[in-house]
Amino acid sequence: MSYQETIEFLFGQLPMFQREGAAAYKPGLETVAALASAFGNPESDLKVIHIGGTNGKGSTAHSIAAVLQSAGYRVGLFTSPHLLDFRERIRVNGEMISEKEVVSFVEAYRTMDLEVKPTFFELTTVMAFDCFSRNNVDFAVVEVGLGGRLDSTNIVNPVLSVITNISLDHTSLLGNTEKEIAFEKGGIIKTGVPVVVGESTGAVRDCFASLASDRESPIVYADDSDEIIVCERCVDGLNYITRSFGNIRGELSGDCQLKNARTVLEAIKELDSMENLNISAEHVAVGMGNVCRLTGLMGRWMTVGDSPLMVCDTGHNPGGWDYLAPQIARHAGRKHVVIGFVNDKDVNAVIEKLCSIENVEFYFTQPSTPRRMPVAELQQKAVAFGLRGEVFESVASATERALAEVVDKGSEMIFIGGSTFVVADFLSSVRKS
């Protein structure tokens, strides 16, 4: 098989949540466990940092990986979805898995002719573990795909679990309340394995505390930590004054990153104490200050143009837009918002948050995935909230119109987002231009 044929097999013949949504979701660990067994259980060789939660998983995973890399460790990183290239999902020290490795793994799987029929994500998960085992990584930072308890990645026995936060997302699959969702995501808490929780209050905290107690897992609540003394916005990110690591410039500059940084630093302290890693303040500063370069992270309040300012972000649910809407609104000049969604999100709740942005023009669009919310439907929802805007069939055409409408390049900004797939379409169009 060529690499292109392999990718066509992965995308075209396996059930894929990224393309099909809930229809491709197959909860349960039996199939992925059988698949991993066929490949010699590569996950058993790995020291895994397992990261779940509703929002911030990707930023947290990449940041932890960047710090460990800066400290000289060989780090595997498994995240999803990808934006431009399938191989973004599986990295070793920031380098994507090679095309040859992808082909070799899929050929091996097809030769086995197993009775179990994995989904795209199940096969990709075992591919990542196999890659990390063969590349002798010191640590594997593994992001949960969806939920936690029944997610394919949950066959691992980690050295540390991390849960960033809980908000309402994928409610049809995970539950209609934050407590129900917390129970599902708390499924990654393993017996005797420490867990760091980024944000939790009320019933959510009670749920995590109960799960950790039942499993005799030490639990740390990052939102109770006083590690970060001051957080200030600077030209190229966020500046943190910390108790243990001195002055850190964080490259990731979204409003949500302060809470992510608290989680990352508590996770690093836990790892350092458990594994005797000798992670220094310099390692933390280099890692946090160079996350994108070290790990390939894209799409988190990502600046893609300066004149005018152009920013894209993959935030796609109400919890994410609790941060994005105020950050866009703070921009002093006129705002141009290119926005589109997939059809299984609480779009009304996001639109309600968009209403708080003043001096703004909206450009309604749709991503190219089959899961897209048709742009006409998005416009109807927006009008119900009193928001008006032009309609565009593609992200590229919407962005092109937004650029044409900019009068003062020095004061106006363009934001592109609403969905990971909108950002992917945008970045793809930039790459082709």
Side-chain angles (χ1 to χ4, degrees), residues 103-427:
V103 171
S104 177
F105 180 87
V106 173
E107 286 182 337
Y109 158 70
R110 298 186 74 178
T111 300
M112 291 175 181
D113 194 25
L114 303 174
E115 289 186 8
V116 296
K117 301 302 178 185
T119 64
F120 169 89
F121 190 73
E122 288 169 330
L123 192 65
T124 303
T125 298
V126 177
M127 184 190 299
F129 295 156
D130 179 69
C131 172
F132 298 157
S133 177
R134 287 185 295 96
N135 281 276
N136 297 311
V137 301
D138 298 305
F139 292 95
V141 181
V142 175
E143 178 189 5
V144 170
L146 195 157
R149 183 174 65 94
L150 301 176
D151 184 73
S152 300
T153 63
N154 207 29
I155 61 173
V156 302
N157 186 29
V159 296
L160 179 69
S161 303
V162 179
I163 303 173
T164 56
N165 54 52
I166 298 296
S167 63
L168 298 179
D169 195 16
H170 297 296
T171 53
S172 64
L173 302 174
L174 302 179
N176 293 312
T177 68
E178 290 187 349
K179 183 177 180 180
E180 290 174 326
I181 294 173
F183 177 78
E184 291 298 323
K185 293 185 182 290
I188 69 170
I189 300 174
K190 300 292 175 60
T191 301
V193 176
V195 56
V196 174
V197 174
E199 301 174 62
S200 65
T201 58
V204 168
R205 179 168 291 206
D206 291 344
C207 179
F208 290 145
S210 177
L211 290 170
S213 176
D214 290 345
R215 296 164 193 177
E216 299 181 338
S217 301
I219 188 166
V220 173
Y221 299 102
D223 48 0
D224 290 347
S225 170
D226 62 355
E227 176 60 50
I228 295 177
I229 303 168
V230 175
C231 173
E232 300 172 320
R233 186 165 296 281
C234 54
V235 174
D236 55 351
L238 296 173
N239 187 59
Y240 304 107
I241 299 174
T242 72
R243 297 188 185 279
S244 306
F245 305 105
N247 194 14
I248 300 170
R249 181 196 69 84
E251 180 180 23
L252 305 182
S253 60
D255 282 4
C256 60
Q257 296 302 336
L258 168 59
K259 292 183 177 180
N260 290 339
R262 286 198 186 104
T263 307
V264 169
L265 295 181
E266 292 305 315
I268 292 298
K269 288 194 293 186
E270 284 295 306
L271 284 169
D272 200 22
S273 65
M274 290 186 301
E275 300 287 331
N276 298 315
L277 302 184
N278 295 315
I279 295 176
S280 69
E282 182 180 1
H283 297 146
V284 175
V286 171
M288 297 282 283
N290 298 275
V291 174
C292 297
R293 177 179 63 80
L294 289 170
T295 68
L297 178 64
M298 296 185 290
R300 273 63 171 188
W301 198 260
M302 179 180 177
T303 300
V304 291
D306 296 315
S307 182
L309 173 65
M310 294 184 70
V311 174
C312 63
D313 193 284
T314 56
H316 54 267
N317 56 39
W321 276 90
D322 282 338
Y323 296 97
L324 288 174
Q327 188 160 8
I328 295 168
R330 276 204 313 275
H331 186 78
R334 188 174 173 221
K335 279 78 72 174
H336 303 264
V337 175
V338 175
I339 193 90
F341 299 94
V342 292
N343 58 17
D344 58 356
K345 299 300 177 184
D346 187 354
V347 173
N348 285 337
V350 174
I351 292 174
E352 189 173 5
K353 298 177 191 304
L354 293 174
C355 293
S356 65
I357 305 172
E358 298 180 349
N359 192 18
V360 60
E361 303 291 337
F362 290 103
Y363 305 80
F364 300 123
T365 188
Q366 58 193 15
S368 56
T369 174
R371 288 173 56 203
R372 63 183 174 271
M373 172 172 284
V375 65
E377 181 180 344
L378 172 57
Q379 185 188 41
Q380 288 177 350
K381 289 179 179 291
V383 168
F385 283 85
L387 298 184
R388 307 282 176 177
E390 291 187 73
V391 169
F392 299 88
E393 294 296 316
S394 71
V395 175
S397 60
T399 306
E400 184 179 354
R401 176 59 64 85
L403 276 165
E405 293 296 320
V406 171
V407 176
D408 185 349
K409 292 183 177 181
S411 67
E412 299 181 40
M413 79 168 291
I414 297 174
F415 175 88
I416 304 102
S419 166
T420 299
F421 305 103
V422 168
V423 173
D425 284 355
F426 167 69
L427 293 175

Side-chain angles (χ1 to χ4, degrees), residues 22-43:
Y25 178 57
K26 188 175 70 176
L29 304 181
E30 294 82 4
T31 298
V32 71
L35 182 62
S37 177
F39 279 90
N41 291 114
E43 76 284 356

